[in-house]
Amino acid sequence: MIGFLRGTVTHLLPEYCLLDVGGVGYMVYIASSTRSRLRLHEEATLFTHLSVREDALTLYGFYTQEEYNVFELLISVSGIGPKVALGILSAISVEALCAAIHNQKLAELTKLPGIGKKSAQRMILELKGKVSSDDDAVEMDETHDVIGDDLMSEASAALTSLGYSAAEINPVLRRAGGMKTVQEVIKFALREIGGE
């Protein structure tokens, strides 16, 4: 699994960008919220989800860990695939979406692209306990994400790519304050997770 990509944005199109990572151009599909924060010919880091189908390998990229987390929650709902989830994140902010799910606003959810009444009901039923509208926080696996800066974001992405879950990673990262490098955080986390 590819946890994140860091490279230079060489092309920025309506549905995707091309990211030059060490001379390899990755086509990464992005939501409008991510696109608005990318700049041509500048370096960017995107948290990524690799969708594997018989006929295609597709990368979806997100500027923030929170957006990535919500995407993962959305595609866990029966009937919502990666393209629909990306369309949702292009149509509404993470905060507004979480609030709509948390407060069971069916009418707001059915206005989203690709979401009918049944899909909206499933979103509320399956995700209500996993998102919170308090302080615009997004919860996954009933733990708060501790991604507040680039250091923790990179460490979290690296650990996710190694197969660890948010439930394993987040409590450990909360105890990793004061560390100066991503490598330090990752080594600490691997030690802690291994010892738990």
Side-chain angles (χ1 to χ4, degrees):
M1 184 62 93
I2 302 170
F4 70 92
L5 291 172
R6 184 189 294 116
T8 302
V9 179
T10 60
H11 295 76
L12 200 50
L13 292 104
E15 293 185 354
Y16 64 88
C17 69
L18 290 181
L19 209 59
D20 181 340
V21 182
V24 178
Y26 288 89
M27 179 185 283
V28 186
Y29 285 85
I30 52 177
S32 57
S33 50
T34 290
R35 187 185 312 104
S36 68
R37 299 173 80 167
L38 299 179
R39 299 290 176 266
L40 272 175
H41 313 301
E42 290 187 10
E43 188 175 272
T45 299
L46 294 177
F47 299 97
T48 56
H49 171 90
L50 178 63
S51 174
V52 180
R53 288 174 34 197
E54 281 184 22
D55 58 344
L57 296 173
T58 309
L59 274 171
Y60 296 88
F62 308 91
Y63 196 82
T64 67
Q65 181 79 42
E66 288 75 19
E67 194 175 40
Y68 169 83
N69 288 349
V70 170
F71 176 85
E72 292 289 325
L73 286 174
L74 287 171
I75 64 174
S76 73
V77 176
S78 175
I80 298 181
K83 286 185 179 177
V84 171
L86 202 66
I88 291 170
L89 291 173
S90 285
I92 190 171
S93 71
V94 165
E95 293 80 12
L97 176 62
C98 290
I101 294 169
H102 184 75
N103 297 315
Q104 304 183 54
K105 299 284 180 82
L106 195 65
E108 285 182 35
L109 295 173
T110 54
K111 291 176 185 173
L112 297 171
I115 298 299
K117 189 176 179 182
K118 286 185 179 178
S119 293
Q121 288 170 334
R122 280 197 298 267
M123 284 170 66
I124 290 170
L125 182 68
E126 295 179 32
L127 302 183
K128 187 178 183 296
K130 297 180 180 179
V131 300
S132 169
S133 60
D134 299 334
D135 301 320
D136 296 330
V138 179
E139 295 180 31
M140 286 192 72
D141 298 326
E142 299 181 354
T143 64
H144 288 282
D145 286 302
V146 295
I147 310 306
D149 56 35
D150 289 342
L151 184 74
M152 292 302 176
S153 293
E154 288 185 32
S156 176
L159 291 164
T160 299
S161 72
L162 292 173
Y164 294 104
S165 69
E168 292 172 303
I169 295 167
N170 291 341
V172 173
L173 293 188
R174 285 195 193 93
R175 303 195 295 270
M179 296 189 179
K180 301 282 190 260
T181 68
V182 175
Q183 288 77 16
E184 269 187 279
V185 175
I186 292 170
K187 282 181 184 174
F188 171 78
L190 290 173
R191 247 192 343 263
E192 291 289 300
I193 294 170
E196 286 181 352

